[in-house]
Amino acid sequence: EGLVLAANRAARALLPVEAEGLVGRPLPAALADEDAAALAAALERMDDADRQTLVLRGRETALQVELGQWEQG
């Protein structure tokens, strides 16, 4: 499981946590429970798909997330 290594101002504005609560933690820890569950389900489905799209709730606007296979391994 990956950790958030850095968060720019745009990411901090979109996600419902402050930067200090985001960096060094897994992304699902920074999301609302139902968004974390939706992300986990989408990641599970990546075994059978090339791409997944989902919408997460941000601070002021919805955040469309597109997941794809990593080309480097």
Side-chain angles (χ1 to χ4, degrees), residues 18-67:
E18 298 302 321
E20 300 79 30
L22 184 60
V23 176
R25 298 176 60 200
L27 180 59
L31 301 174
D33 289 343
E34 65 186 57
D35 286 343
L39 178 59
L43 289 170
E44 286 291 325
R45 291 190 302 268
M46 286 303 295
D47 288 339
D48 300 322
D50 290 332
R51 198 162 294 290
Q52 293 282 326
T53 302
L54 64 147
V55 177
L56 305 176
R57 291 177 289 150
R59 286 181 190 237
E60 298 176 11
T61 185
L63 176 62
Q64 183 171 331
V65 176
E66 185 172 314
L67 304 172

Side-chain angles (χ1 to χ4, degrees), residues 2-15:
L3 301 177
V4 175
L5 299 178
N8 63 22
R9 279 181 277 164
R12 292 191 305 261
L14 289 171
L15 295 171

